[in-house]
Coordinates of all heavy atoms in Angstrom, one line a residue:
M1 N 11.2 -12.7 5.2 CA 9.8 -12.2 5.3 C 8.8 -13.3 5.0 O 7.8 -13.1 4.5 CB 9.6 -11.0 4.4 CG 10.3 -9.8 4.8 SD 9.7 -8.4 3.8 CE 8.1 -8.2 4.3
N2 N 9.1 -14.5 5.5 CA 8.2 -15.7 5.2 C 6.9 -15.4 6.0 O 6.9 -15.1 7.2 CB 8.9 -16.9 5.7 CG 8.4 -18.1 5.0 OD1 7.6 -18.0 4.0 ND2 8.8 -19.3 5.4
G3 N 5.8 -15.7 5.3 CA 4.5 -15.5 5.9 C 4.0 -14.0 6.0 O 3.1 -13.7 6.6
S4 N 4.7 -13.1 5.3 CA 4.4 -11.7 5.3 C 4.0 -11.3 3.9 O 4.1 -12.1 3.0 CB 5.5 -10.9 5.8 OG 6.6 -11.0 4.9
A5 N 3.5 -10.1 3.8 CA 3.0 -9.6 2.5 C 3.3 -8.1 2.4 O 3.5 -7.4 3.3 CB 1.5 -9.8 2.4
L6 N 3.3 -7.6 1.1 CA 3.4 -6.2 0.8 C 2.1 -5.8 0.2 O 1.5 -6.6 -0.6 CB 4.5 -6.0 -0.2 CG 5.9 -6.1 0.2 CD1 6.9 -5.9 -1.0 CD2 6.2 -5.1 1.3
G7 N 1.6 -4.7 0.5 CA 0.3 -4.1 0.0 C 0.7 -2.8 -0.7 O 1.4 -2.0 -0.2
L8 N 0.1 -2.6 -1.9 CA 0.4 -1.4 -2.7 C -0.9 -0.7 -3.0 O -1.9 -1.3 -3.4 CB 1.1 -1.8 -4.0 CG 2.4 -2.5 -3.9 CD1 2.2 -4.0 -3.9 CD2 3.3 -2.1 -5.0
I9 N -0.9 0.6 -2.9 CA -2.0 1.5 -3.3 C -1.5 2.6 -4.2 O -0.4 3.2 -3.9 CB -2.7 2.1 -2.1 CG1 -3.4 1.1 -1.2 CG2 -3.7 3.2 -2.5 CD1 -4.7 0.7 -1.6
E10 N -2.2 2.8 -5.3 CA -1.8 3.9 -6.2 C -3.0 4.8 -6.5 O -4.0 4.3 -6.8 CB -1.2 3.3 -7.5 CG -0.6 4.3 -8.5 CD 0.0 3.6 -9.6 OE1 1.2 3.2 -9.5 OE2 -0.7 3.3 -10.6
T11 N -2.8 6.1 -6.3 CA -3.9 7.0 -6.5 C -3.5 8.2 -7.4 O -2.3 8.4 -7.5 CB -4.5 7.6 -5.2 OG1 -3.4 8.4 -4.6 CG2 -4.9 6.5 -4.3
R12 N -4.4 8.9 -8.0 CA -4.1 10.2 -8.6 C -4.4 11.2 -7.6 O -5.6 11.4 -7.2 CB -5.0 10.4 -9.9 CG -4.7 11.7 -10.5 CD -5.4 11.9 -11.8 NE -5.3 10.9 -12.8 CZ -4.2 10.7 -13.6 NH1 -3.3 11.6 -13.6 NH2 -4.2 9.7 -14.5
G13 N -3.4 11.9 -7.1 CA -3.5 12.9 -6.1 C -3.1 12.4 -4.7 O -3.4 11.3 -4.3
L14 N -2.5 13.3 -3.9 CA -2.0 12.9 -2.6 C -3.1 12.7 -1.6 O -3.0 11.8 -0.7 CB -1.1 14.0 -2.1 CG -0.3 13.8 -0.9 CD1 0.6 12.6 -1.0 CD2 0.6 15.0 -0.5
I15 N -4.2 13.4 -1.7 CA -5.3 13.3 -0.7 C -5.8 11.9 -0.6 O -6.1 11.4 0.4 CB -6.4 14.4 -0.9 CG1 -5.8 15.8 -0.8 CG2 -7.5 14.2 0.1 CD1 -5.2 16.1 0.5
G16 N -6.1 11.3 -1.8 CA -6.6 10.0 -1.8 C -5.6 9.0 -1.2 O -6.1 8.1 -0.5
L17 N -4.3 9.1 -1.4 CA -3.4 8.2 -0.8 C -3.3 8.4 0.7 O -3.2 7.4 1.5 CB -2.0 8.4 -1.4 CG -0.9 7.4 -1.0 CD1 -1.3 6.0 -1.3 CD2 0.4 7.8 -1.5
I18 N -3.3 9.6 1.2 CA -3.3 9.9 2.6 C -4.5 9.3 3.3 O -4.4 8.6 4.3 CB -3.2 11.4 2.9 CG1 -1.9 11.9 2.5 CG2 -3.5 11.7 4.4 CD1 -1.7 13.4 2.5
N19 N -5.7 9.4 2.7 CA -6.9 8.7 3.2 C -6.8 7.2 3.2 O -7.2 6.5 4.1 CB -8.1 9.2 2.4 CG -8.7 10.5 2.9 OD1 -8.7 10.8 4.1 ND2 -9.1 11.3 2.0
A20 N -6.2 6.7 2.1 CA -5.9 5.3 2.0 C -5.0 4.8 3.2 O -5.3 3.8 3.8 CB -5.4 4.9 0.7
Y21 N -3.9 5.5 3.4 CA -3.0 5.1 4.5 C -3.7 5.2 5.8 O -3.5 4.3 6.6 CB -1.8 6.1 4.5 CG -0.6 5.7 3.8 CD1 0.1 6.6 3.0 CD2 -0.1 4.4 3.9 CE1 1.3 6.2 2.3 CE2 1.1 4.0 3.2 CZ 1.8 4.9 2.4 OH 2.9 4.6 1.8
D22 N -4.5 6.2 6.0 CA -5.2 6.3 7.3 C -6.1 5.1 7.5 O -6.1 4.5 8.6 CB -6.0 7.6 7.3 CG -6.8 7.8 8.6 OD1 -6.1 7.7 9.7 OD2 -8.0 8.1 8.6
A23 N -6.9 4.7 6.5 CA -7.8 3.6 6.6 C -7.0 2.3 6.8 O -7.4 1.4 7.6 CB -8.7 3.5 5.3
M24 N -5.9 2.1 6.0 CA -5.2 0.9 6.1 C -4.6 0.7 7.5 O -4.6 -0.4 8.1 CB -4.0 0.9 5.1 CG -4.5 0.7 3.7 SD -3.2 0.4 2.5 CE -2.4 2.0 2.4
L25 N -4.0 1.8 8.1 CA -3.4 1.7 9.4 C -4.4 1.5 10.5 O -4.0 0.9 11.5 CB -2.5 2.9 9.6 CG -1.3 3.0 8.7 CD1 -0.6 4.3 8.9 CD2 -0.3 1.9 8.9
K26 N -5.6 1.9 10.3 CA -6.6 1.7 11.3 C -7.3 0.4 11.2 O -7.8 -0.2 12.1 CB -7.7 2.8 11.2 CG -7.2 4.2 11.6 CD -8.3 5.2 11.4 CE -7.9 6.6 11.8 NZ -8.9 7.6 11.5
A27 N -7.3 -0.2 10.0 CA -8.1 -1.4 9.7 C -7.3 -2.7 10.2 O -8.0 -3.7 10.5 CB -8.4 -1.6 8.2
A28 N -6.0 -2.7 10.2 CA -5.3 -3.9 10.5 C -3.9 -3.6 11.1 O -3.5 -2.4 11.0 CB -5.1 -4.8 9.3
N29 N -3.3 -4.6 11.6 CA -2.0 -4.4 12.2 C -0.9 -4.5 11.1 O -0.3 -5.5 10.8 CB -1.7 -5.5 13.3 CG -0.4 -5.4 14.0 OD1 0.1 -4.2 14.1 ND2 0.1 -6.4 14.6
V30 N -0.7 -3.4 10.4 CA 0.3 -3.2 9.4 C 1.1 -2.0 9.6 O 0.8 -1.2 10.5 CB -0.4 -3.1 8.0 CG1 -1.2 -4.4 7.6 CG2 -1.3 -1.9 7.9
E31 N 2.2 -1.9 8.9 CA 3.1 -0.8 9.0 C 3.5 -0.2 7.6 O 3.4 -0.9 6.6 CB 4.4 -1.1 9.8 CG 5.2 -2.1 9.1 CD 6.5 -2.5 10.0 OE1 6.4 -2.4 11.2 OE2 7.5 -2.9 9.3
V32 N 3.8 1.1 7.6 CA 4.2 1.7 6.3 C 5.5 1.2 6.0 O 6.4 1.1 6.8 CB 4.2 3.2 6.5 CG1 4.7 3.9 5.2 CG2 2.8 3.8 6.9
A33 N 5.7 0.7 4.7 CA 6.9 0.1 4.2 C 7.8 1.1 3.5 O 9.0 0.9 3.5 CB 6.6 -1.1 3.4
T34 N 7.2 2.1 2.8 CA 8.0 3.0 2.0 C 7.5 4.4 2.2 O 6.3 4.6 2.5 CB 8.0 2.7 0.5 OG1 6.6 2.8 0.1 CG2 8.5 1.3 0.2
P35 N 8.3 5.4 1.9 CA 7.7 6.8 1.9 C 6.8 6.9 0.6 O 6.8 6.0 -0.2 CB 9.0 7.7 1.7 CG 10.1 6.8 1.4 CD 9.7 5.4 1.7
I36 N 6.1 7.9 0.5 CA 5.2 8.1 -0.6 C 6.1 8.2 -1.9 O 7.1 9.0 -1.9 CB 4.4 9.4 -0.5 CG1 3.4 9.1 0.7 CG2 3.6 9.7 -1.7 CD1 2.6 10.3 1.1
I37 N 5.7 7.5 -2.9 CA 6.4 7.4 -4.2 C 5.7 8.3 -5.2 O 4.5 8.0 -5.5 CB 6.6 6.0 -4.7 CG1 7.3 5.1 -3.7 CG2 7.3 6.0 -6.0 CD1 7.1 3.6 -3.9
K38 N 6.3 9.4 -5.7 CA 5.7 10.3 -6.6 C 6.0 9.8 -8.0 O 7.2 9.6 -8.4 CB 6.2 11.7 -6.4 CG 5.9 12.3 -5.1 CD 6.6 13.6 -4.9 CE 6.4 14.1 -3.5 NZ 7.1 15.3 -3.2
L39 N 5.0 9.6 -8.8 CA 5.1 9.2 -10.2 C 4.6 10.4 -11.1 O 4.2 11.4 -10.6 CB 4.2 8.0 -10.5 CG 4.6 6.8 -9.5 CD1 3.5 5.7 -9.7 CD2 6.0 6.3 -9.8
D40 N 4.7 10.2 -12.4 CA 4.3 11.3 -13.3 C 2.8 11.5 -13.3 O 2.0 10.6 -13.0 CB 4.7 10.9 -14.8 CG 6.2 11.1 -14.9 OD1 6.8 11.8 -14.1 OD2 6.7 10.4 -15.9
G41 N 2.3 12.7 -13.7 CA 0.9 13.0 -13.9 C 0.1 13.0 -12.6 O -1.1 12.8 -12.6
G42 N 0.8 13.3 -11.5 CA 0.0 13.4 -10.2 C -0.3 12.1 -9.6 O -1.0 12.0 -8.6
V43 N 0.3 11.0 -10.1 CA 0.0 9.7 -9.5 C 1.0 9.5 -8.4 O 2.2 9.7 -8.6 CB 0.1 8.6 -10.6 CG1 0.0 7.2 -10.0 CG2 -0.9 8.8 -11.7
V44 N 0.5 9.0 -7.3 CA 1.4 8.7 -6.1 C 1.1 7.3 -5.6 O 0.0 6.7 -5.9 CB 1.2 9.7 -5.0 CG1 1.7 11.0 -5.3 CG2 -0.3 9.8 -4.6
S45 N 2.1 6.7 -5.0 CA 2.0 5.3 -4.6 C 2.6 5.1 -3.2 O 3.4 5.8 -2.8 CB 2.7 4.4 -5.6 OG 2.6 3.0 -5.3
G46 N 2.1 4.1 -2.5 CA 2.6 3.8 -1.2 C 2.5 2.3 -0.9 O 1.7 1.6 -1.5
M47 N 3.3 1.8 0.0 CA 3.3 0.4 0.3 C 3.2 0.2 1.8 O 3.7 1.0 2.6 CB 4.7 -0.3 -0.1 CG 4.8 -0.2 -1.6 SD 6.5 -0.8 -2.1 CE 6.2 -2.5 -2.1
I48 N 2.6 -0.9 2.2 CA 2.5 -1.3 3.6 C 3.0 -2.7 3.7 O 3.1 -3.4 2.7 CB 1.1 -1.2 4.1 CG1 0.1 -2.1 3.3 CG2 0.6 0.2 4.2 CD1 -1.2 -2.4 4.0
R49 N 3.3 -3.2 4.9 CA 3.7 -4.6 5.1 C 3.1 -5.1 6.4 O 2.8 -4.4 7.3 CB 5.2 -4.8 5.0 CG 6.0 -4.1 6.1 CD 7.4 -4.3 5.9 NE 8.2 -3.3 6.7 CZ 9.4 -3.1 6.6 NH1 10.1 -3.8 5.7 NH2 10.1 -2.2 7.3
G50 N 3.0 -6.4 6.4 CA 2.5 -7.1 7.6 C 2.2 -8.5 7.2 O 2.6 -9.0 6.1
D51 N 1.4 -9.2 8.1 CA 1.1 -10.6 7.7 C 0.0 -10.6 6.6 O -0.7 -9.6 6.4 CB 0.6 -11.4 8.9 CG -0.7 -10.9 9.5 OD1 -1.8 -11.3 9.0 OD2 -0.6 -10.1 10.5
V52 N -0.1 -11.7 5.9 CA -0.9 -11.7 4.7 C -2.4 -11.3 4.9 O -2.9 -10.5 4.2 CB -0.9 -13.1 4.0 CG1 -1.8 -13.2 2.8 CG2 0.6 -13.5 3.6
S53 N -3.0 -11.9 5.9 CA -4.4 -11.5 6.1 C -4.6 -10.1 6.5 O -5.6 -9.4 6.1 CB -5.0 -12.5 7.1 OG -4.4 -12.4 8.4
S54 N -3.7 -9.6 7.3 CA -3.8 -8.1 7.7 C -3.6 -7.2 6.5 O -4.3 -6.2 6.4 CB -2.8 -7.8 8.8 OG -3.1 -8.5 10.0
V55 N -2.6 -7.5 5.7 CA -2.4 -6.7 4.5 C -3.6 -6.7 3.6 O -4.0 -5.7 3.0 CB -1.1 -7.1 3.8 CG1 -0.9 -6.4 2.5 CG2 0.1 -6.8 4.7
R56 N -4.1 -7.9 3.4 CA -5.3 -8.0 2.5 C -6.5 -7.1 3.0 O -7.1 -6.4 2.3 CB -5.8 -9.4 2.4 CG -5.0 -10.3 1.5 CD -5.6 -11.7 1.3 NE -4.7 -12.6 0.8 CZ -4.4 -12.8 -0.5 NH1 -4.9 -12.0 -1.4 NH2 -3.5 -13.7 -0.9
A57 N -6.7 -7.2 4.3 CA -7.8 -6.4 4.9 C -7.5 -4.9 4.8 O -8.4 -4.1 4.5 CB -8.0 -6.8 6.3
A58 N -6.3 -4.6 5.1 CA -5.9 -3.2 5.0 C -5.9 -2.6 3.6 O -6.4 -1.5 3.4 CB -4.5 -3.0 5.6
V59 N -5.5 -3.3 2.6 CA -5.5 -2.8 1.3 C -7.0 -2.7 0.8 O -7.3 -1.7 0.1 CB -4.7 -3.7 0.3 CG1 -5.0 -3.4 -1.2 CG2 -3.2 -3.6 0.6
E60 N -7.8 -3.6 1.2 CA -9.3 -3.5 0.8 C -9.9 -2.2 1.4 O -10.5 -1.4 0.8 CB -10.0 -4.7 1.3 CG -11.5 -4.7 0.9 CD -12.2 -6.0 1.3 OE1 -11.6 -7.1 1.1 OE2 -13.3 -5.9 1.8
A61 N -9.6 -1.9 2.7 CA -10.1 -0.7 3.4 C -9.5 0.5 2.8 O -10.1 1.5 2.5 CB -9.8 -0.8 4.9
G62 N -8.2 0.5 2.4 CA -7.5 1.6 1.8 C -8.0 1.9 0.4 O -8.2 3.1 0.1
A63 N -8.3 0.9 -0.3 CA -8.8 1.1 -1.7 C -10.2 1.7 -1.6 O -10.5 2.6 -2.4 CB -8.9 -0.2 -2.4
E64 N -11.1 1.3 -0.7 CA -12.4 1.9 -0.5 C -12.3 3.4 -0.2 O -13.0 4.2 -0.7 CB -13.2 1.2 0.5 CG -13.8 -0.1 0.1 CD -14.7 -0.7 1.2 OE1 -15.2 0.0 2.0 OE2 -14.8 -1.9 1.2
A65 N -11.4 3.7 0.8 CA -11.2 5.1 1.2 C -10.7 6.0 0.1 O -11.1 7.1 -0.1 CB -10.3 5.1 2.4
A66 N -9.7 5.5 -0.6 CA -9.2 6.2 -1.7 C -10.2 6.5 -2.8 O -10.3 7.6 -3.4 CB -7.9 5.5 -2.3
A67 N -11.0 5.5 -3.1 CA -12.0 5.6 -4.2 C -13.1 6.6 -3.8 O -13.7 7.3 -4.6 CB -12.6 4.3 -4.5
R68 N -13.4 6.7 -2.5 CA -14.4 7.7 -2.0 C -14.0 9.1 -2.1 O -14.8 10.0 -2.4 CB -14.8 7.4 -0.5 CG -15.8 6.3 -0.3 CD -16.3 6.4 1.1 NE -15.3 6.4 2.1 CZ -14.7 5.4 2.8 NH1 -15.1 4.2 2.4 NH2 -13.8 5.5 3.7
C69 N -12.8 9.4 -1.9 CA -12.4 10.8 -1.9 C -11.4 11.2 -3.1 O -11.0 12.4 -3.2 CB -11.7 11.2 -0.6 SG -10.1 10.5 -0.4
G70 N -11.1 10.3 -3.9 CA -10.2 10.6 -5.0 C -10.3 9.6 -6.1 O -11.3 8.9 -6.3
E71 N -9.2 9.4 -6.9 CA -9.2 8.5 -8.0 C -8.2 7.4 -7.7 O -7.0 7.6 -7.6 CB -8.8 9.2 -9.3 CG -8.8 8.3 -10.5 CD -8.4 9.0 -11.7 OE1 -8.3 10.2 -11.8 OE2 -8.1 8.3 -12.7
L72 N -8.7 6.2 -7.4 CA -7.9 5.0 -7.1 C -7.4 4.5 -8.5 O -8.2 4.2 -9.4 CB -8.7 3.9 -6.4 CG -8.0 2.6 -6.2 CD1 -6.9 2.8 -5.1 CD2 -9.0 1.6 -5.7
K73 N -6.1 4.3 -8.6 CA -5.6 3.8 -9.8 C -5.3 2.3 -9.7 O -5.6 1.5 -10.7 CB -4.2 4.5 -10.2 CG -4.4 6.0 -10.4 CD -5.2 6.3 -11.6 CE -4.5 6.2 -12.8 NZ -5.3 6.6 -14.0
A74 N -4.8 1.8 -8.6 CA -4.5 0.4 -8.4 C -4.4 0.0 -6.9 O -4.0 0.9 -6.1 CB -3.2 0.0 -9.1
A75 N -4.7 -1.2 -6.6 CA -4.5 -1.7 -5.3 C -4.1 -3.2 -5.5 O -4.8 -3.9 -6.2 CB -5.8 -1.6 -4.5
H76 N -3.0 -3.6 -4.8 CA -2.5 -5.0 -5.0 C -1.9 -5.5 -3.8 O -1.2 -4.7 -3.0 CB -1.6 -5.0 -6.2 CG -1.2 -6.4 -6.6 ND1 -2.0 -7.2 -7.2 CD2 0.0 -7.0 -6.5 CE1 -1.4 -8.3 -7.5 NE2 -0.2 -8.2 -7.1
V77 N -1.9 -6.8 -3.5 CA -1.3 -7.5 -2.4 C -0.3 -8.5 -3.0 O -0.7 -9.3 -3.9 CB -2.3 -8.2 -1.5 CG1 -1.5 -9.0 -0.4 CG2 -3.2 -7.1 -0.9
I78 N 0.9 -8.5 -2.5 CA 1.9 -9.5 -2.9 C 2.2 -10.4 -1.7 O 2.9 -9.9 -0.8 CB 3.2 -8.9 -3.4 CG1 3.0 -8.0 -4.6 CG2 4.2 -10.0 -3.8 CD1 4.2 -7.2 -5.0
P79 N 1.6 -11.6 -1.6 CA 1.8 -12.4 -0.4 C 3.2 -13.1 -0.6 O 3.6 -13.5 -1.6 CB 0.7 -13.5 -0.5 CG 0.1 -13.3 -1.8 CD 0.6 -12.1 -2.5
R80 N 3.9 -13.2 0.5 CA 5.2 -13.8 0.6 C 6.1 -13.4 -0.5 O 6.6 -14.2 -1.4 CB 5.1 -15.3 0.6 CG 4.4 -15.8 1.9 CD 4.1 -17.3 1.9 NE 3.4 -17.8 0.7 CZ 2.1 -17.6 0.5 NH1 1.3 -17.0 1.3 NH2 1.6 -18.1 -0.6
P81 N 6.5 -12.1 -0.6 CA 7.3 -11.6 -1.7 C 8.7 -12.1 -1.6 O 9.2 -12.5 -0.6 CB 7.3 -10.0 -1.5 CG 7.1 -9.9 0.0 CD 6.2 -11.0 0.4
S82 N 9.3 -12.2 -2.8 CA 10.7 -12.6 -2.9 C 11.6 -11.6 -2.2 O 11.3 -10.4 -2.2 CB 11.1 -12.6 -4.4 OG 12.5 -12.7 -4.5
P83 N 12.7 -12.1 -1.6 CA 13.6 -11.1 -0.9 C 14.2 -10.1 -1.8 O 14.4 -8.9 -1.4 CB 14.7 -12.1 -0.4 CG 14.1 -13.4 -0.2 CD 13.1 -13.5 -1.3
A84 N 14.3 -10.4 -3.1 CA 14.8 -9.4 -4.1 C 13.8 -8.2 -4.3 O 14.2 -7.1 -4.4 CB 15.0 -10.0 -5.5
V85 N 12.5 -8.5 -4.2 CA 11.5 -7.5 -4.3 C 11.5 -6.6 -3.1 O 11.4 -5.4 -3.1 CB 10.0 -8.1 -4.5 CG1 9.0 -7.1 -4.4 CG2 10.0 -8.8 -5.8
V86 N 11.6 -7.2 -1.9 CA 11.7 -6.5 -0.7 C 12.9 -5.6 -0.7 O 12.8 -4.4 -0.3 CB 11.7 -7.5 0.5 CG1 11.9 -6.7 1.8 CG2 10.5 -8.3 0.6
E87 N 14.1 -6.1 -1.1 CA 15.3 -5.2 -1.1 C 15.1 -4.1 -2.1 O 15.6 -3.0 -1.8 CB 16.5 -6.1 -1.6 CG 17.1 -6.8 -0.4 CD 18.4 -7.5 -0.9 OE1 19.1 -7.0 -1.7 OE2 18.6 -8.7 -0.5
A88 N 14.5 -4.3 -3.2 CA 14.3 -3.2 -4.2 C 13.4 -2.1 -3.8 O 13.6 -0.9 -4.1 CB 13.8 -3.8 -5.5
F89 N 12.4 -2.4 -3.0 CA 11.4 -1.4 -2.7 C 11.2 -1.0 -1.3 O 10.7 0.1 -1.0 CB 10.0 -1.8 -3.2 CG 10.0 -2.0 -4.7 CD1 10.0 -3.2 -5.3 CD2 9.9 -0.8 -5.5 CE1 10.0 -3.3 -6.7 CE2 9.9 -1.0 -6.9 CZ 9.9 -2.2 -7.5
V90 N 11.6 -1.8 -0.3 CA 11.3 -1.5 1.1 C 12.6 -1.0 1.7 O 13.7 -1.7 1.5 CB 10.8 -2.8 1.8 CG1 10.6 -2.5 3.3 CG2 9.5 -3.2 1.2
K91 N 12.5 0.0 2.5 CA 13.7 0.6 3.1 C 14.2 -0.3 4.3 O 13.5 -1.0 4.9 CB 13.5 2.0 3.6 CG 12.3 2.1 4.5 CD 12.1 3.5 5.0 CE 10.7 3.6 5.7 NZ 10.5 4.8 6.3

């Protein structure tokens, strides 16, 4: 995955994450990397992947969308992730 990136969004509540996914997929050429990950306390997380600049733009758009309609907990981009990270989290 050289030259690629992983983007992560974490929200409280599913609606915020769905809006974030919608905004991310519309904002840049990225793809969904994992199914929705359910955490404790109503916190859900999701990952996208693509080239570094596309993932950065998509995560920014997704974070804005999630914050508008719900509670954004975290948004992060991992440029050029280690293959071990990719194996652990991406299907």
Side-chain angles (χ1 to χ4, degrees):
M1 290 190 66
N2 206 5
S4 63
L6 290 176
L8 300 92
I9 295 276
E10 187 174 273
T11 65
R12 181 176 307 277
L14 186 59
I15 299 301
L17 185 62
I18 291 171
N19 278 320
Y21 266 136
D22 182 52
M24 290 188 292
L25 294 172
K26 289 177 180 175
N29 186 22
V30 295
E31 62 183 26
V32 175
T34 62
I36 293 172
I37 302 165
K38 298 175 187 173
L39 305 169
D40 289 338
V43 177
V44 289
S45 180
M47 297 171 85
I48 59 166
R49 64 178 162 193
D51 65 84
V52 176
S53 60
S54 294
V55 170
R56 286 187 195 276
V59 168
E60 185 176 316
E64 280 184 31
R68 274 195 311 268
C69 72
E71 183 180 345
L72 176 68
K73 301 297 278 180
H76 190 68
V77 175
I78 302 173
R80 297 175 306 283
S82 164
V85 171
V86 174
E87 277 185 38
F89 294 103
V90 178
K91 55 179 172 172

